[in-house]
Amino acid sequence: MAKIVFWSPDPGRGNTSNTLAIGTMIGQDYDIRTLITQTQFRRPNLENAFMKAKELQFRNLVNTTTSGMDNLERLFKSKRLSADSISDHTISLEAGRLDLLMGTKKSEAHENFPSIAGAIFDEADRYYQAVILDIHSGNNSSVSEQLIQDADIVVITLSQDTSVIESYVEQKDWPDNLQEKSKIILLGQYDKYSKYNVTNIKRNFKIDDPIYGLPYCSEFRDAINDKDVLNWFRRARNAGKRHPSYSFFQEVRKISKDLLIQIGVNTEIKRIERGVS
Ligand SMILES: Nc1ncnc2c1ncn2[C@@H]1O[C@H](COP(=O)(O)OP(=O)(O)OP(=O)(O)O)[C@@H](O)[C@H]1O
Ligand SMILES: [Mg+2]
């Protein structure tokens, strides 16, 4: 139904972490079929964050030379790619709701990779209600350019550094096609006590697109390092106000809901009641 692409003009600002947080929340809170994956080479940071919960499946994949994405590429080339075959090549994180597709094991993109990746996610879009993609930062990647072109909405990771916001507003390093896309901005590792908070940034830089701060959260960082984001979300996301990560989950939940509304999901109907999952 919709391709949601997470992109940042610069590396290291929290794009993968933002993708992880929003993707996991959608997969655990909503009864829609969601695919989460990344299109970078030699950098399985996104997948690794889920390893603890799926150790067996990950162990089986260690010794193979191809990944889910590589197998789909093969199917595409032999004209056997179908919406069903895509889900068959994923690891199920939340049954029927959240599937993880392992990114390519190849070390670099070949000439046709952008158009093949585009075709694979077009097909995935027929089966999944949300296809969530963590793509390479900057404007030097032909894969990212293709996926931004194909996106229904682009979630852009920026920071609270004014130099970063200024470059963005001046459209420096924007890939082709970004201009005409629906965009929302996430300030990664957000510090709400900074003078440069969401309200001030929006006003000072005259930004029309929605902006959110995705808070810095120590436990989230630990969960990424422990490769245990899935279990940590399961355990902690509905905890009460006194929980140290309460405001993190509140924000992630709000951003996820607004994003789903933007892509046309009825969040009232699709929301899973607490305690059911
Ligand atoms: N909201 C957050 N709370 C706590 N730590 C965070 C948060 N966001 C990011 N981090 C920390 O910052 C590190 C780098 O973030 P991340 O890998 O998401 O950046 P990136 O933009 O994807 O980088 P790259 O361009 O290298 O792919 C994470 O491994 C994590 O330790
Ligand atoms: Mg990353």
Side-chain angles (χ1 to χ4, degrees):
M1 190 173 85
K3 279 170 275 181
I4 305 170
V5 163
F6 283 70
W7 172 83
S8 175
D10 311 292
R13 304 229 178 266
N15 200 59
T16 299
S17 308
N18 290 351
T19 315
L20 276 170
I22 306 289
T24 308
M25 186 60 93
I26 290 176
Q28 294 188 348
D29 262 14
Y30 289 92
D31 189 15
I32 60 171
R33 285 195 300 269
T34 300
L35 179 73
I36 186 167
T37 190
Q38 54 88 15
T39 56
Q40 297 178 53
F41 295 85
R42 290 189 258 201
R43 303 186 64 136
N45 299 2
L46 182 92
E47 295 93 315
N48 283 349
F50 297 116
M51 193 189 282
K52 196 74 181 283
K54 294 281 153 185
E55 245 157 341
L56 197 64
Q57 288 91 328
F58 272 77
R59 212 176 304 140
N60 288 340
L61 291 169
V62 167
N63 296 325
T64 59
T65 51
T66 59
S67 68
M69 184 68 183
D70 296 327
N71 292 332
L72 294 180
E73 187 177 340
R74 196 169 37 76
L75 288 178
F76 173 80
K77 285 179 176 158
S78 60
K79 300 195 166 42
R80 286 181 295 137
L81 183 74
S82 66
D84 288 343
S85 64
I86 294 181
S87 64
D88 290 345
H89 286 86
T90 62
I91 292 178
S92 168
L93 299 179
E94 299 293 345
R97 305 207 303 272
L98 183 59
D99 288 347
L100 171 70
L101 175 66
M102 303 291 250
T104 180
K105 287 200 171 187
K106 292 177 186 158
S107 55
E108 55 192 46
H110 55 81
E111 201 187 332
N112 295 329
F113 188 75
S115 64
I116 292 176
I120 289 172
F121 297 127
D122 280 348
E123 195 63 42
D125 200 22
R126 288 152 52 94
Y127 177 81
Y128 292 97
Q129 271 111 357
V131 175
I132 296 181
L133 305 173
D134 170 24
I135 70 172
H136 198 274
S137 59
N139 67 351
N140 274 331
S141 155
S142 50
V143 189
S144 293
E145 200 153 292
Q146 174 77 48
L147 297 175
I148 284 177
Q149 182 184 317
D150 296 347
D152 294 285
I153 184 160
V154 183
V155 181
I156 299 167
T157 299
L158 299 179
S159 77
Q160 285 165 282
D161 296 336
T162 50
S163 59
V164 172
I165 308 280
E166 268 162 23
S167 302
Y168 175 76
V169 171
E170 289 164 12
Q171 306 196 358
K172 283 189 188 149
D173 305 320
W174 279 35
D176 291 350
N177 304 306
L178 185 58
Q179 184 128 25
E180 67 251 30
K181 291 288 158 180
S182 297
K183 299 181 264 301
I184 74 166
I185 294 170
L186 297 193
L187 305 175
Q189 312 191 37
Y190 184 65
D191 169 8
K192 67 178 176 186
Y193 300 109
S194 161
K195 183 170 76 175
Y196 295 98
N197 58 23
V198 167
T199 316
N200 286 343
I201 287 179
K202 207 166 167 37
R203 193 175 44 223
N204 294 345
F205 293 92
K206 300 186 176 53
I207 296 175
D208 292 330
D209 297 314
I211 309 185
Y212 300 85
L214 200 140
Y216 182 87
C217 173
S218 309
E219 283 195 344
F220 180 42
R221 184 177 203 159
D222 292 346
I224 293 172
N225 280 322
D226 293 342
K227 303 181 172 37
D228 204 17
V229 167
L230 198 71
N231 286 324
W232 177 64
F233 260 72
R234 281 180 187 158
R235 266 197 320 271
R237 79 185 193 288
N238 290 325
K241 277 197 174 127
R242 295 155 79 99
H243 190 278
S245 304
Y246 178 77
S247 60
F248 170 83
F249 285 115
Q250 289 288 98
E251 282 304 307
V252 173
R253 187 163 272 138
K254 185 168 96 193
I255 300 165
S256 303
K257 182 177 177 189
D258 290 356
L259 196 52
L260 289 179
I261 290 171
Q262 279 217 35
I263 64 165
V265 171
N266 186 329
T267 51
E268 297 301 315
I269 291 176
K270 295 294 183 183
R271 175 96 158 84
I272 297 166
E273 279 176 49
R274 269 167 79 162
V276 173
S277 67

